[in-house]
Amino acid sequence: MAHASEVPRPAPTDIAALAERAMEFRQRLDAAKRRIAPTDFEWYPYDSLSNLHTLDRLLTGPNRSLPELASGKPILDIGCADGDLAFFLASLGHQVLAVDNPITNFNSMRGLRALNRELGGAVEIQVADLDGPFQFRERGYGLAFLLGVLYHLKNPYRMLDFLSRRAEYAAISTSITSYAPGLYESVVGTSIAYLADVYEINRDSTNYWLLSDAGFRRLLQRTNWEICDYLLIGAPGATGAVGEQRAFTLVHSRLAGQKTRLLFGKGWHEPEQEGWRWTQQHFAIRFESPLWEEPREVSLTVFVPPALIERFGAITLAACANGVDLPPESFSTSGRHCYQRLFRDVPLFEGDIRMDFSLDHALPPDADDPRERGIVVIDLRLR
């Protein structure tokens, strides 16, 4: 019979209990590091697991269960340092991908690799230049950690936009500034990013960006994230110092986790730089994930171009779901609009729902643009 201390304990769910379990796991990590006893590199000097105590302060309600957020899918730890958090999550039974760049990692990822060997290959490791082209090995992740990474990236917008298409939830932290050099008034409510000089912040040349609080929130919004919980740590500096605060947030992607497929050849043009797409007069989409709950709601966020209203006065958008007509809606002004329809009793064809959309008018090809143009689709989903 196994000794009582050897019987596996069930993994905790609440973040407070998870943080306490992590403190126990740290002893196992410390023992592994002592056994490795490296002579050619030093361990990452900061306590990555302490972030779980901060998450305990951040998370509320159902968000306090990281296993529930991950929902059985792989977990990402981006900018993982020596992998302390990744190894802890793996010890709880999660599949974890630890991602970092040897060029910017504290010990060129030698600590991460040594620990992984010592712990029996507990996590998957991927080398990636987060400022260059890269792909994660899995297409979908339940939860991602991006803690203390954004300000080390040359293009944080690209990273957050990329991640929103692959992870359903993300825990993110970054430095926040209330003041910027040369400005004497607080920038808390202004959406700005400050580009630091070499060695200006912590004598670290990889510190590129400091965001204001409003700037960070807008960056999340523009890259398809919805804020679930948000926490600012530290007080705004009265002396105008930059980077005196840190923001922690749990965000939910408006894009990931929903298996949608644009039906190419069915009214869609290639994506623009911002990720949105022009449609033709008739366009279609297929929701591949079977959603058995009733009722369902389709939500389509669109931009109606001024030229369309100037030419036709108004346009009407109609839709049907698997052959069932939904009530149309007319738009008489240009700008951003939302088409939302609740529907029931729509038959599922092989578990899918096909949505066919139709406009009563579209802009024909002209000298400026050879495409037929209907509306711009910014976001769409089936709830």
Side-chain angles (χ1 to χ4, degrees), residues 146-310:
L146 190 71
L147 301 174
V149 175
L150 277 186
Y151 49 88
H152 291 300
L153 300 178
K154 295 177 182 177
N155 194 341
Y157 190 108
R158 177 184 180 276
M159 163 55 71
L160 288 177
D161 184 69
F162 176 85
L163 189 60
S164 71
R165 301 169 195 277
R166 288 155 180 84
E168 294 189 41
Y169 288 91
I172 304 172
S173 71
T174 193
S175 287
I176 294 294
T177 186
S178 303
Y179 293 88
L183 300 179
Y184 298 99
E185 295 184 0
S186 170
V187 297
V188 169
T190 306
S191 177
I192 69 164
Y194 173 71
L195 177 59
D197 200 355
V198 177
Y199 303 122
E200 181 178 358
I201 302 172
N202 294 335
R203 301 191 59 80
D204 184 345
S205 63
T206 69
N207 283 328
Y208 293 102
W209 297 103
L210 287 175
L211 298 164
S212 66
D213 181 51
F216 182 41
R217 291 172 183 268
R218 180 165 298 176
L219 178 61
L220 294 169
Q221 184 266 325
R222 289 294 304 275
T223 53
N224 310 306
W225 294 102
E226 296 173 341
I227 294 175
C228 303
D229 288 311
Y230 194 91
L231 174 68
L232 272 178
I233 295 178
T239 61
V242 295
E244 72 279 3
Q245 289 184 295
R246 188 162 292 239
F248 281 78
T249 184
L250 176 76
V251 289
H252 178 253
S253 171
R254 296 197 298 267
L255 302 179
Q258 178 172 268
K259 297 180 180 178
T260 59
R261 181 161 58 92
L262 306 184
L263 298 183
F264 294 103
K266 297 293 184 182
W268 294 95
H269 294 300
E270 289 299 314
E272 306 290 337
Q273 185 175 3
E274 294 291 331
W276 42 258
R277 289 177 181 268
W278 277 96
T279 74
Q280 296 176 359
Q281 187 170 2
H282 308 283
F283 56 101
I285 187 170
R286 186 184 299 277
F287 293 90
E288 297 178 340
S289 179
L291 302 176
W292 302 106
E293 298 85 359
E294 293 280 5
R296 303 182 182 92
E297 181 185 66
V298 63
S299 176
L300 188 71
T301 304
V302 303
F303 178 82
V304 177
L308 202 59
I309 300 300
E310 292 170 4

Side-chain angles (χ1 to χ4, degrees), residues 336-355:
R336 190 181 181 113
H337 298 276
C338 188
Y339 172 91
Q340 289 181 310
R341 289 294 181 269
L342 204 64
F343 56 92
R344 302 173 183 268
D345 303 324
V346 169
L348 293 172
F349 298 150
E350 297 181 352
D352 294 352
I353 293 180
R354 170 171 168 152
M355 301 288 301

Side-chain angles (χ1 to χ4, degrees), residues 13-20 22-23 48-67 69 75-77 85 88-89 143-148 170-174 229-231 233 246-251:
T13 55
D14 186 81
I15 184 62
L18 205 67
E20 290 304 314
M23 298 307 101
S48 301
L49 291 177
S50 65
N51 283 313
L52 293 172
H53 287 293
T54 306
L55 293 181
D56 181 20
R57 297 173 57 189
L58 166 72
L59 301 177
T60 61
N63 300 332
R64 292 184 60 81
S65 174
L66 295 189
L69 295 178
I75 293 177
L76 271 172
D77 185 8
L85 179 59
F88 170 63
L89 294 172
L143 177 63
F145 291 91
L146 190 71
L147 301 174
I172 304 172
S173 71
T174 193
D229 288 311
Y230 194 91
L231 174 68
I233 295 178
R246 188 162 292 239
F248 281 78
T249 184
L250 176 76
V251 289

